[in-house]
Amino acid sequence: MATERTVPLARVKQIVAAIVLAFSAMLIFLAIDDLTLKMRLTLAVFVASITAWTILDLPDTPVALAAAALLPVAGAIDEDVLYRSLGNDIVWLMLAAFVVAGVLRQVGVIEQIIRRLLARFATVRGLFWALTLLIFATAFIIPSTSARAAMLAPVYLGLATAIGNTRVNRALALLFPSVILLSAGASLIGAGAHLVAAGMMERLQEKGPDFLGWMALAGPFSLLCSLLACAVLLRLFLTREERAIAIAERDADEAPTPLTRQQWTVLAVTGAMILLFAAQPMHGIGMPLIGIAAALLLANQKVSGLPLKAALKSVEWNLLLFLAGTLVIGEALLETGTAKVLAERMVDLAGNSIARTPGLFRCRSRDTFPPRHHLAHGAGDHSHTCACPAGRSPRC
């Protein structure tokens, strides 16, 4: 009896990617009109990068760096654009934020503050809501989701040990990553992609959102999503009795130790950095420069006990290089005019699709509500121009 042959998933992805790339090349180089050679090359590299990331699941950073290096080789942009990407203010801001996060993790001030606050809540329900708000607040200090996860992991382990309930701990294990991801959108430094998007907006509109502007636009939505995630986890994963479980009271000998002078100093510098971020439109100092000053001050043996060399080990260099590569791709799309052409084509397509909407509703609305000048003159004839295609409605 013949056995059925199965095709490995990796092989299927390669075939799909080859088809997508071949079809995209035909569209870019043969079918799309009014594009210069630089635009076509930039668009081809952009589509190839998206295909490698989404279909082939290739590592993000090597693909971004390869695409960034290919663009000047193909002649789409100058080499200086590639070299300048590593000196971009976004990369410097993320570098400083990672150093600050490394110092905070080393000193342990965030974990200690969270444990102090959580000790005030007596039930599992109250604990979950408080954790949601506290994790949400860390998005304005820590620059990436992975860094926040690494910092909050000890908090979860300590709570799970103290609670000692398998079902509650499972829901708690889902709460941490869910809120970390959903709350990242609230802060401009919550993810590197936010800084890239803000930079592109500034290039296109000559003004991008600042720290407070981003928080005002995205903060409420991210907070709502985080709270909804908490409510769903409480509702679906825990019973009413489990939600009302009382958390064991802290013994007298387990009273939290007071914050040290070192921790207070680190906390004060971090708070000052956030305040300066928020007041950036008033004083005019760039966020990267503020972050670098705070990082240098915190990564000092006398201030935090952590030298700069050790603090730099907490930097996610892989993410910084990925950011630099994507910045080059974005710069190429803007510099060659490809982004503008694509936006105009998308608007045209959207307008044409609206224009092709069945004319029944437009016809009926015009018959029901005739133009204002007809009403003003009391005219009974509705011989006004109709937007319906020919032959679509006899009433037109």
Side-chain angles (χ1 to χ4, degrees):
M1 183 176 180
T3 58
E4 294 183 1
R5 296 183 58 186
T6 58
V7 181
L9 180 60
R11 183 62 176 171
V12 174
K13 290 183 177 181
Q14 292 172 0
I15 295 172
V16 173
I19 295 173
V20 170
L21 290 175
F23 183 70
S24 301
M26 292 174 60
L27 283 178
I28 294 170
F29 292 100
L30 299 177
I32 303 179
D33 298 327
D34 302 327
L35 292 182
T36 64
L37 180 59
K38 287 186 176 182
M39 289 181 180
R40 298 181 193 275
L41 292 172
T42 302
L43 193 55
V45 172
F46 175 70
V47 172
S49 303
I50 297 297
T51 304
W53 285 326
T54 57
I55 299 178
L56 296 177
D57 291 331
L58 295 180
D60 296 339
T61 302
V63 172
L65 292 178
L70 186 59
L71 285 168
V73 171
I77 56 173
D78 296 332
E79 290 186 27
D80 290 343
V81 178
L82 174 63
Y83 305 143
R84 288 199 307 264
S85 64
L86 287 174
N88 192 284
D89 55 351
I90 295 174
V91 176
W92 280 100
L93 177 57
M94 292 297 291
L95 174 62
F98 277 124
V99 171
V100 173
V103 173
L104 289 172
R105 184 163 57 246
Q106 176 70 21
V107 175
V109 63
I110 298 295
E111 296 92 323
Q112 189 166 344
I113 291 176
I114 290 178
R115 287 197 179 100
R116 280 169 168 267
L117 294 174
L118 293 180
R120 301 175 181 269
F121 296 91
T123 64
V124 169
R125 182 189 294 106
L127 176 69
F128 271 59
W129 289 115
L131 271 174
T132 300
L133 296 176
L134 290 171
I135 296 173
F136 178 84
T138 61
F140 300 95
I141 306 173
I142 314 302
S144 73
T145 53
S146 57
R148 293 166 68 200
M151 178 172 289
L152 293 170
V155 178
Y156 163 73
L157 294 174
L159 289 173
T161 303
I163 294 172
N165 184 297
T166 303
R167 285 175 54 83
V168 174
N169 288 346
R170 182 179 63 176
L172 196 63
L174 292 172
L175 179 71
F176 272 82
S178 300
V179 179
I180 286 173
L181 291 174
L182 293 173
S183 61
S187 172
L188 182 60
I189 62 171
H194 302 168
L195 295 168
V196 175
M200 295 298 108
M201 291 170 66
E202 188 172 0
R203 281 288 307 275
L204 292 172
Q205 303 176 1
E206 297 183 356
K207 181 174 176 59
D210 55 15
F211 190 82
L212 282 181
W214 186 285
M215 184 169 60
L217 291 172
F221 179 74
S222 295
L223 178 59
L224 178 62
C225 291
S226 301
L227 293 174
L228 285 175
C230 178
V232 169
L233 290 173
L234 284 171
R235 181 70 178 176
L236 297 182
F237 287 85
L238 299 177
T239 63
R240 181 178 300 178
E241 293 75 17
E242 288 170 336
R243 293 194 292 269
I245 290 177
I247 300 174
E249 296 184 1
R250 190 186 302 271
D251 297 332
D253 57 350
E254 294 180 353
T257 57
L259 293 176
T260 64
R261 182 179 179 182
Q262 184 184 74
Q263 290 175 326
W264 277 116
T265 304
V266 170
L267 201 58
V269 173
T270 306
M273 180 189 72
I274 296 173
L275 289 177
L276 289 173
F277 280 170
Q280 196 270 337
M282 299 174 60
H283 54 67
I285 303 175
M287 288 177 58
L289 189 57
I290 297 171
I292 292 170
L296 290 175
L297 186 59
L298 289 175
N300 187 301
Q301 191 83 34
K302 295 180 180 180
V303 175
S304 64
L306 188 69
L308 180 61
K309 183 178 180 180
L312 288 174
K313 293 180 180 180
S314 62
V315 176
E316 296 185 19
W317 298 103
N318 190 60
L319 177 59
L320 292 184
L321 292 174
F322 170 73
L323 276 178
T326 54
L327 285 170
V328 174
I329 299 174
E331 185 73 20
L333 290 170
L334 292 174
E335 196 172 278
T336 59
T338 310
K340 182 179 179 180
V341 172
L342 288 178
E344 291 174 350
R345 297 288 175 88
M346 293 293 291
V347 171
D348 290 341
L349 286 175
N352 291 335
S353 64
I354 294 174
R356 286 194 295 268
T357 303
L360 175 62
F361 301 102
R362 294 199 301 276
C363 245
R364 291 287 174 86
S365 65
R366 284 177 175 251
D367 277 330
T368 306
F369 305 102
R372 188 176 297 175
H373 66 273
H374 283 276
L375 293 175
H377 292 83
D381 115 24
H382 301 285
S383 58
H384 54 275
T385 303
C386 183
C388 298
R392 181 65 61 86
S393 174
R395 297 185 61 184
C396 295

